[in-house]
Amino acid sequence: MPKYNLGFTKKDDAITIDLTKIRKIESLEDLDDFTSMFKNEDELKIYLVKKGVLSSEFLSKNINVIYRHGGVYKKIPVLYLENKKYIDEEYVKNKLTSMTNDLDFLEKLANRMDARIKHNIQGTNIAAIRTHLINVKNGGDPLRTYDLLYSALTDMFFKAVTVVDKKTGEVKNSYRGLRDLGLFVSKYAPSEIEEINIDKIPETEEFEQITFGQIMNQTKTIKEKNDSDFVYPLDNQLYTQDGSPFFPPNSEEERIYKMHLEEEMSIEEHPHYRR
């Protein structure tokens, strides 16, 4: 099993970062557990510099996970917090099978899995993906080859995240296979926008009874933070020094604004009270 480290590659050589003073790293999983505590490379570098294991001369260089294979140094991406979900099997599988409409991704996926070797276990799945791509690009009905594509992606996922023990024939989970596939998918997955369930938004009296006057008071509070007139960013409405909206004299806008103010007055405050 390769020994994985953080470091920098330099042609046929590499410089590793000694993490033994910080944490015990015995596997790729251990290394990922460590780096996924940081949001990005900058946070990781700052931490390593503070711990005295990274020289400032390397701050401008990209950190990679490095290991030796066949006597040659190889590098793979560092796993940070934002991509930690891409080492969850169920998440990666769902993400992979949900990208059936992304032809560019499917083509890159097929090319990546095509190792150009005689006995590629993904060969049938690669052929199925390319059959679907040819069908769609030639104007065919995507549904005609969709089942073939979906089955190929599902089987491709299973073969990518498992490995067969040559001695026992036992099928085992492959963390490295899951990691490689997950980070590849992450490069092409669309950005996720959190969906807001309006049924879960609590209904409060303050929200239901918010008035025009309250909005105007909030606007006035904002205005008091600035001594000069300004343009309100939402509607380009000018405001005066006391926070009131500025309207041309005797304009329709001024009349409507005054009407709203009168509606917000209590009966005692109204100018015609007790007349």
Side-chain angles (χ1 to χ4, degrees):
M1 179 181 294
K3 181 175 177 57
Y4 296 92
N5 295 287
L6 290 181
F8 310 89
T9 55
K10 184 178 181 182
K11 293 184 179 180
D12 297 330
D13 198 4
I15 299 173
T16 59
I17 300 172
D18 184 7
L19 299 176
T20 56
K21 297 178 181 179
I22 301 175
R23 191 166 176 142
K24 187 176 182 180
I25 306 293
E26 295 184 338
S27 65
L28 181 57
E29 293 98 314
D30 291 340
L31 189 57
D32 285 345
D33 284 342
F34 169 64
T35 60
S36 62
M37 295 191 299
F38 303 93
K39 292 181 181 179
N40 50 47
E41 187 179 62
D42 288 342
E43 280 195 0
L44 174 60
K45 285 180 176 178
I46 291 172
Y47 178 83
L48 295 176
V49 169
K50 287 182 177 180
K51 289 295 182 179
V53 297
L54 179 64
S55 172
S56 58
E57 66 182 286
F58 293 104
L59 290 178
S60 62
K61 301 182 183 298
N62 294 325
I63 296 179
N64 292 293
V65 174
I66 59 177
Y67 64 99
R68 285 179 69 89
H69 178 72
V72 179
Y73 279 104
K74 303 283 187 179
K75 64 180 180 179
I76 55 177
V78 177
L79 181 75
Y80 294 107
L81 180 61
E82 64 178 355
N83 283 331
K84 191 172 184 179
K85 57 193 173 186
Y86 284 97
I87 56 173
D88 178 87
E89 281 196 23
E90 198 62 29
Y91 184 86
V92 176
K93 179 181 178 182
N94 291 337
K95 205 67 172 175
L96 177 67
T97 54
S98 70
M99 296 171 67
T100 53
N101 292 327
D102 190 334
L103 301 186
D104 182 58
F105 166 72
L106 293 176
E107 189 163 2
K108 286 183 170 58
L109 177 65
N111 291 337
R112 182 184 184 281
M113 290 294 182
D114 190 355
R116 304 289 181 185
I117 57 178
K118 188 174 182 180
H119 301 292
N120 186 352
I121 61 172
Q122 298 285 13
T124 302
N125 296 324
I126 294 169
I129 293 175
R130 287 179 172 156
T131 296
H132 177 77
L133 289 171
I134 292 172
N135 172 46
V136 175
K137 289 181 178 181
N138 287 337
D141 183 358
L143 294 178
R144 186 168 65 86
T145 49
Y146 176 82
D147 289 343
L148 180 68
L149 171 66
Y150 188 87
S151 296
L153 293 177
T154 303
D155 187 62
M156 178 175 282
F157 170 81
F158 173 76
K159 289 177 178 176
V161 303
T162 58
V163 62
V164 179
D165 189 310
K166 294 180 180 180
K167 293 182 179 180
T168 64
E170 182 184 0
V171 177
K172 299 180 179 180
N173 291 334
S174 170
Y175 179 80
R176 172 64 190 274
L178 172 63
R179 186 189 195 275
D180 287 350
L181 179 61
L183 292 184
F184 177 80
V185 172
S186 72
K187 292 195 300 183
Y188 302 98
S191 300
E192 294 180 347
I193 301 176
E194 183 178 354
E195 294 183 0
I196 300 176
N197 187 344
I198 59 174
D199 295 330
K200 294 184 179 180
I201 298 178
E203 294 184 1
T204 63
E205 292 184 3
E206 290 83 357
F207 180 80
E208 293 178 323
Q209 298 178 5
I210 191 167
T211 63
F212 179 83
Q214 288 173 313
I215 295 175
M216 296 309 301
N217 286 337
Q218 291 174 2
T219 301
K220 184 176 180 180
T221 301
I222 295 173
K223 174 65 187 70
E224 288 172 350
K225 295 180 181 180
N226 193 333
D227 292 335
S228 60
D229 289 347
F230 70 102
V231 177
Y232 192 63
L234 294 182
D235 58 6
N236 294 329
Q237 170 66 61
L238 290 175
Y239 288 82
T240 60
Q241 291 286 347
D242 66 358
S244 301
F246 173 79
F247 300 108
N250 301 320
S251 66
E252 180 67 12
E253 292 84 355
E254 183 181 45
R255 185 187 68 79
I256 294 175
Y257 172 68
K258 289 181 178 180
M259 180 180 69
H260 278 298
L261 290 182
E262 290 182 1
E263 290 176 355
E264 294 303 320
M265 289 181 179
S266 65
I267 186 65
E268 291 81 6
E269 293 173 326
H270 199 282
H272 300 296
Y273 178 63
R274 291 179 181 171
R275 287 190 178 182

